[in-house]
Amino acid sequence: MNKDWRRISIVIFIALIVLCLFFAISSASTASYTAQSVVDTYNIPIGQSMFENQSIVGTTEDIKVPVISNVPFIFNQIRAFDLQGLLFSSITGFVPFDFSTVSSEGIDSYGNVVDIEGPGYLTFEGDKLAVKGPGHYVWGYSAPSKWLEKTESGVDVVVDGNVIKSVPVEEIKNLEYSSKYYNASTIVEWYNYDSDIGSTFTLEKGMVGFSDGRNNISSSDVPVIFGEDVVDYASDYPTGSPILLYAGNYTEEGGESYGTSLGSHPEYGDDIREINAKQFVEAWNGTVIPPNSTSSGKDYIYFESAKDSEAPGGSAAHGVCPPARALRAAVTSEGFPMPTGMTWDENAVLFGYNPANDIKVTNNHDYPVKINMWTEGSGTGMGIYCQIIRYIPNG
């Protein structure tokens, strides 16, 4: 019995020595990794938008490294009860890279995004990799991603700064680009009457200048990451407008409001004035302005002209001042500065400013706001209303 125990003890002792030697040799040859070296080795795109369960290296296959120089990574498989992985590693001599050694939050040991709601983004946190959630809000600015540029012989089609083809003048009318605001006829009119050499016509918009520092994205990625509603909203507003791309965990709260009526000025044509008042409301209703940002109303809103001997050019878009007064009263009562293009006078819109895309409202709050405008009734007694809606973050 003593001999058997002595034999077992010797075997265990030898096994322990071998195991210690193995770990000593392995430790001496263990590869050293940093977040930056991993990013450089595997071309991991810092700043890229990411969702739950996505791999930060953009592949469904685990990154494999030699076991002999990465023995500690085996313990990751043991902790995960990954028996199949352990068998694979013992046969092939390769083990999945353990990302927990170079990451902090939002990334599991296999390099997958975890515990993130909404469109997160990959970044550095100190000397570690991390995927950060979007927080309460994410906003950016629309920018041309695909456009036409006028040349001496036609137009160049440009995508993200690269010319993909040139179209001669006679073929412009056959271009198949279209949206709810433009088509081939619109493009031809722009080329013939509204452009010079070097002028551009935006076809699709990407997003740049993100509030959380993530990478700019092209037009094809906007609906994938932030949804079609963002594409529709951005198409309604001038290029360069601030766009609220994501909002989560907030409560809508009614802010300042104001109402007025159209009134009668038959010398300018009350029918035209009613049309223009409704167009102003259409231009501004639903406009969402991110924190500490400035926005105009919608693009592609058109106004009727009425004769006015005192106006530059002899005509003006009369009827826009009553809704402008409602907007002015609501935003200044909210604590915002006087909108660009407006005045405290009864005629609230300055001559020379388009009431939709030239007037600018600045939101100086630390949270987004939405401008709601609407009308009630019709004719000279039509009521016109404006209310600010605050997007208050919870907690």
Side-chain angles (χ1 to χ4, degrees):
M1 184 70 177
N2 289 335
K3 289 183 179 180
D4 292 339
W5 173 248
R6 194 177 295 114
R7 190 180 300 112
I8 293 172
S9 299
I10 292 172
V11 171
I12 293 174
F13 178 72
I14 293 173
L16 287 173
I17 291 176
V18 171
L19 193 60
C20 289
L21 288 172
F22 174 74
F23 277 111
I25 294 171
S26 299
S27 297
S29 59
T30 294
S32 177
Y33 300 101
T34 65
Q36 187 64 61
S37 70
V38 171
V39 165
D40 294 340
T41 300
Y42 299 109
N43 297 315
I44 297 175
I46 297 298
Q48 179 170 296
S49 296
M50 311 216 72
F51 289 91
E52 183 84 2
N53 297 322
Q54 279 188 327
S55 169
I56 66 170
V57 295
T59 175
T60 56
E61 296 293 327
D62 296 329
I63 292 177
K64 304 293 195 307
V65 291
V67 173
I68 189 66
S69 56
N70 296 278
V71 172
F73 290 178
I74 292 177
F75 294 109
N76 180 45
Q77 291 180 303
I78 294 173
R79 287 191 297 269
F81 296 103
D82 185 2
L83 300 181
Q84 184 176 357
L86 282 168
L87 178 61
F88 178 87
S89 297
S90 64
I91 294 173
T92 64
F94 285 85
V95 65
F97 186 88
D98 183 1
F99 279 90
S100 66
T101 60
V102 294
S103 65
S104 56
E105 66 176 289
I107 304 171
D108 71 10
S109 59
Y110 290 93
N112 298 315
V113 179
V114 292
D115 302 326
I116 296 296
E117 293 185 9
Y121 67 103
L122 183 63
T123 185
F124 284 110
E125 187 172 54
D127 61 352
K128 300 287 187 180
L129 288 171
V131 173
K132 296 286 190 179
H136 290 289
Y137 316 109
V138 177
W139 66 93
Y141 295 83
S142 64
S145 183
K146 183 176 183 179
W147 65 91
L148 304 177
E149 183 169 333
K150 184 171 182 176
T151 66
E152 293 183 354
S153 58
V155 294
D156 286 339
V157 181
V158 186
V159 176
D160 295 331
N162 300 309
V163 177
I164 62 171
K165 68 176 178 179
S166 296
V167 181
V169 174
E170 62 272 16
E171 292 298 323
I172 295 176
K173 65 180 182 297
N174 298 323
L175 289 173
E176 297 181 352
Y177 305 126
S178 64
S179 76
K180 62 181 179 180
Y181 294 121
Y182 66 81
N183 53 29
S185 297
T186 314
I187 294 170
V188 169
E189 184 175 352
W190 162 78
Y191 184 87
N192 289 332
Y193 305 109
D194 300 322
S195 62
D196 299 313
I197 303 300
S199 295
T200 60
F201 185 98
T202 300
L203 300 172
E204 297 176 6
K205 298 175 183 179
M207 293 293 156
V208 302
F210 284 91
S211 57
D212 56 10
R214 70 181 68 206
N215 291 347
N216 299 339
I217 59 176
S218 66
S219 56
S220 60
D221 286 332
V222 174
V224 176
I225 298 171
F226 295 107
E228 285 289 348
D229 288 348
V230 167
V231 177
D232 294 338
Y233 184 94
S235 68
D236 286 342
Y237 288 80
T239 301
S241 296
I243 310 293
L244 184 66
L245 301 162
Y246 172 86
N249 194 23
Y250 70 95
T251 299
E252 291 191 14
E253 175 184 283
E256 297 295 329
S257 62
Y258 188 80
T260 187
S261 61
L262 179 62
S264 179
H265 287 278
E267 68 273 24
Y268 301 128
D270 284 333
D271 289 343
I272 288 178
R273 293 180 62 251
E274 182 177 356
I275 291 171
N276 286 340
K278 289 180 176 178
Q279 288 294 89
F280 188 101
V281 169
E282 170 65 21
W284 284 92
N285 182 43
T287 298
V288 177
I289 310 179
N292 300 298
S293 300
T294 299
S295 179
S296 73
K298 299 181 182 73
D299 217 352
Y300 307 108
I301 300 292
Y302 301 99
F303 299 90
E304 300 288 340
S305 293
K307 290 183 179 180
D308 183 347
S309 59
E310 297 183 3
S315 64
H318 283 289
V320 300
C321 287
R325 291 195 294 270
L327 174 65
R328 179 185 66 191
V331 300
T332 54
S333 296
E334 189 70 20
F336 300 166
M338 170 69 77
T340 302
M342 297 181 71
T343 174
W344 283 115
D345 295 341
E346 184 76 6
N347 294 327
V349 179
L350 292 169
F351 286 126
Y353 283 82
N354 182 294
N357 56 33
D358 282 342
I359 290 177
K360 303 288 196 304
V361 172
T362 297
N363 169 20
N364 56 19
H365 292 332
D366 292 329
Y367 48 81
V369 298
K370 180 169 68 173
I371 297 172
N372 282 345
M373 294 197 73
W374 69 98
T375 63
E376 294 180 2
S378 61
T380 57
M382 181 177 70
I384 305 168
Y385 304 91
C386 179
Q387 182 178 28
I388 304 301
I389 304 297
R390 304 164 183 157
Y391 289 6
I392 305 296
N394 296 328

